[in-house]
Amino acid sequence: MTSSSPSGLGAEYAADASEAYRAALRVIESVEPRVADATRKELADQRDSLKLIASENYASPAVLLTMGTWFSDKYAEGTVGHRFYAACQNVDTVEALAAEHARELFGAPYAYAQPHSGIDANLVAYWAILATRIEGPGLAELGAKHVNDLSEADWESLRAKLGNQRLLGMSLDTGGHLTHGFRPNISGKMFHQRQYGTDPVTGFIDYDVVAAAAREFKPLVLVAGYSAYPRRINFAKMREIADEVGATLMVDMAHFAGLVAGKVFTGDEDPVPHAHITTTTTHKSLRGPRGGLVLATEEYAPAVDKGCPMVLGGPLSHVMAAKAVALAEARQPAFREYAQDVADNAQALAEGLLKRDAGLVTGGTDNHLVLLDVTSFGLTGRQAESALLDAGIVTNRNAIPADPNGAWYTSGIRFGSPALTTRGFGADDFDRVAELVVDVLNNTQPAAGPNGPAGSTSKAKYTLADGTAERVRAASAELLDANPLYPGLTL
């Protein structure tokens, strides 16, 4: 963690955190030593690898320690001041603090801190939109069927009961998320869905095409946001499109919430002033605990506030407490410095890959992530991901637009800058990371497929040239040693 981290990990802070973790691990060890061992090993593994997964980060010790408290033992269905269980006054305090920090941080009229994850946050948002805008019978007529047993006819009946509502979201292969209307996902079951993509040449969103699709499809919900689109979005234009067709604009900013909180994205690129409902996770670039958050206008606030019991079960009170701590950290001036570093470092990584002849979707980035097309290396995403992991570089494979290898093997690798930026990596370090990535991929070859004809290759198997993993791990160690994870924290 660097000076742009929430804590700075000064000497006294590091000493206190070290004492807390050592004591905690001794207690855990007295009951199940294998869990304590795995916990120590996880820290060691994270310290010794280049973590470039765009959806991961490193939370501060203060955030992590907050989750290991007595709040974990408390049920608290309901809302602040209106619980279905007794003795929730302390839960009320931490939930109210989390919501207060979220409202102040993002400039939102209303914030809901209960969602357990980003998917839960999106489900709360969808049902809040339906509850606010659609009148009609509930779901009781479906009987006792489990959701997995519902046929397409059942879903058609359910959609009819909800008014045959429509959702327009970004397609998965062009950077959207499963919960933006992907048919196998619940979001694709709840709604009649259609998806917009990106320009097949530039890879950018074409707002005129989105507007034309909205005019023809007339969705109730227009979803903006992404999980693998390496560019910024003009949310003012998205709101114009939504208003023209009478749609609710919902923005999923789970990936780039830290850049919004840190004021890297402002004006038309800040979704909160333009969206009716904004959802996010609290980890990723926001650097908090794993969880979700919903921001909403006053119109949708009453329905969002019924997330439990409408969609959610018992709130995770210990995680809400950790959200309050993380959001308080994000309101500090140092977080703005961190957020700007995240964007600058992603740019440095992209430029480092481009100058080494690697192909990037959209030709670069202007947010926190980079999407590498590995087909020029003769590899699938799965082969590239595995070879990089062998060399100590942690990434995830990702589909690219019109991916010939599908969503499992893929043709891309998604990189993100938030985690290594938290460690203190700068632009020169990310250029060196780009060099190491290309070194690994240049020295990886697809291997023959099992029982296939001569010359055939497997989409999963690969060979890494002798000495490559060791060479790259040694070079990575120099970068990691210069930017230690949780400096001063010892177990």
Side-chain angles (χ1 to χ4, degrees):
M1 304 282 236
T2 69
S3 59
S4 61
S5 74
S7 65
L9 273 191
E12 184 177 355
Y13 183 107
D16 287 345
S18 297
E19 182 181 354
Y21 281 112
R22 285 196 294 267
L25 286 167
R26 286 196 300 270
V27 173
I28 295 168
E29 197 166 39
S30 69
V31 178
E32 177 47 279
R34 291 172 294 184
V35 170
D37 288 345
T39 303
R40 293 187 183 96
K41 188 174 187 304
E42 180 61 26
L43 176 59
D45 288 348
Q46 292 200 27
R47 280 175 159 169
D48 293 342
S49 61
L50 289 171
K51 181 154 78 168
L52 288 161
I53 293 179
S55 54
E56 294 187 6
N57 209 329
Y58 303 107
S60 73
V63 169
L64 297 174
L65 287 166
T66 303
M67 285 186 280
T69 69
W70 300 274
F71 280 118
S72 180
D73 298 332
K74 193 76 188 95
Y75 262 105
E77 279 97 338
T79 55
V80 174
H82 190 72
R83 305 287 182 180
F84 292 93
Y85 282 78
C88 291
Q89 63 273 12
N90 299 311
V91 178
D92 283 353
T93 296
V94 297
E95 181 175 350
L97 283 171
E100 174 190 330
H101 285 309
R103 290 193 305 270
E104 294 297 323
L105 180 63
F106 293 109
Y110 167 83
Y112 185 64
Q114 290 192 20
H116 310 332
S117 68
I119 288 178
D120 282 356
N122 285 353
L123 282 174
V124 169
Y126 288 140
W127 283 107
I129 293 168
L130 290 169
T132 300
R133 298 194 57 181
I134 304 301
E135 294 182 3
L139 309 182
E141 294 176 24
L142 288 174
K145 286 184 178 179
H146 188 278
V147 67
N148 290 338
D149 297 326
L150 295 179
S151 67
E152 184 56 35
D154 290 326
W155 279 109
E156 189 65 25
S157 173
L158 175 55
R159 286 190 288 269
K161 288 179 172 62
L162 294 172
N164 282 317
Q165 298 308 318
R166 296 176 173 182
L167 179 146
L168 179 62
M170 193 174 195
S171 65
L172 189 64
D173 71 328
T174 57
H177 190 258
L178 291 168
T179 56
H180 298 176
F182 186 54
R183 177 56 83 188
N185 182 262
I186 187 66
S187 61
K189 302 290 190 186
M190 290 167 61
F191 296 93
H192 284 291
Q193 56 81 32
R194 186 173 296 181
Q195 298 180 318
Y196 60 86
T198 54
D199 185 277
V201 176
T202 67
F204 283 71
I205 292 173
D206 186 327
Y207 297 96
D208 291 336
V209 172
V210 177
R215 290 186 199 109
E216 190 219 334
F217 191 55
K218 294 181 174 56
L220 177 77
V221 188
L222 174 61
V223 182
Y226 50 80
S227 65
Y229 178 68
R231 297 293 177 176
R232 305 186 187 193
I233 292 178
N234 186 318
F235 295 106
K237 288 185 178 180
M238 284 294 194
R239 178 58 183 264
E240 289 177 7
I241 295 169
D243 286 347
E244 180 184 345
V245 299
T248 295
L249 177 61
M250 174 182 149
V251 174
D252 179 350
M253 67 172 183
H255 260 272
F256 55 92
L259 300 183
V260 177
K263 308 307 178 188
V264 176
F265 290 178
T266 59
D268 291 351
E269 296 167 345
D270 177 352
V272 179
H274 304 291
H276 297 91
I277 295 185
T278 305
T279 64
T280 184
T281 52
T282 46
H283 46 291
K284 300 187 176 79
S285 59
L286 199 51
R287 202 163 55 182
R290 299 187 66 85
L293 192 70
V294 180
L295 309 174
T297 63
E298 296 292 350
E299 176 188 6
Y300 290 92
V304 172
D305 216 37
K306 293 180 175 65
C308 172
M310 178 175 61
V311 174
L312 305 174
L316 304 178
S317 303
H318 58 307
V319 179
M320 289 196 296
K323 290 175 188 178
V325 173
L327 292 166
E329 290 175 344
R331 293 182 65 188
Q332 300 303 311
F335 192 86
R336 292 195 181 192
E337 176 188 342
Y338 165 73
Q340 187 60 57
D341 288 345
V342 166
D344 292 344
N345 286 338
Q347 184 69 38
L349 177 62
E351 291 173 354
L353 291 167
L354 288 169
K355 74 181 183 184
R356 295 174 176 91
D357 298 323
L360 303 183
V361 174
T362 78
T365 183
D366 50 27
N367 55 26
H368 68 294
L369 63 85
V370 176
L371 190 56
L372 172 65
D373 182 346
V374 298
T375 56
S376 63
F377 296 96
L379 303 171
T380 65
R382 186 174 176 188
Q383 291 164 338
E385 173 192 78
S386 299
L388 289 167
L389 185 60
D390 288 345
I393 301 176
V394 184
T395 65
N396 71 277
R397 64 190 184 275
N398 204 95
I400 63 174
D403 199 315
N405 287 316
W408 177 250
Y409 291 105
T410 82
S411 300
I413 289 288
R414 185 184 66 171
F415 300 103
S417 60
L420 292 185
T421 301
T422 294
R423 290 189 67 146
F425 278 53
D428 290 343
D429 299 317
F430 273 89
D431 180 72
R432 178 64 168 143
V433 169
E435 182 180 11
L436 298 178
V437 167
V438 173
D439 185 6
V440 172
L441 299 183
N442 277 333
N443 284 282
T444 303
Q445 296 293 325
N451 304 317
S456 70
T457 58
S458 165
K459 290 184 178 181
K461 296 182 181 297
Y462 64 95
T463 59
L464 188 58
D466 290 345
T468 301
E470 294 77 10
R471 179 175 67 251
V472 171
R473 282 184 178 273
S476 297
E478 295 181 7
L479 293 171
L480 296 168
D481 290 345
N483 299 282
L485 177 61
Y486 304 119
L489 193 153
T490 58
L491 301 183

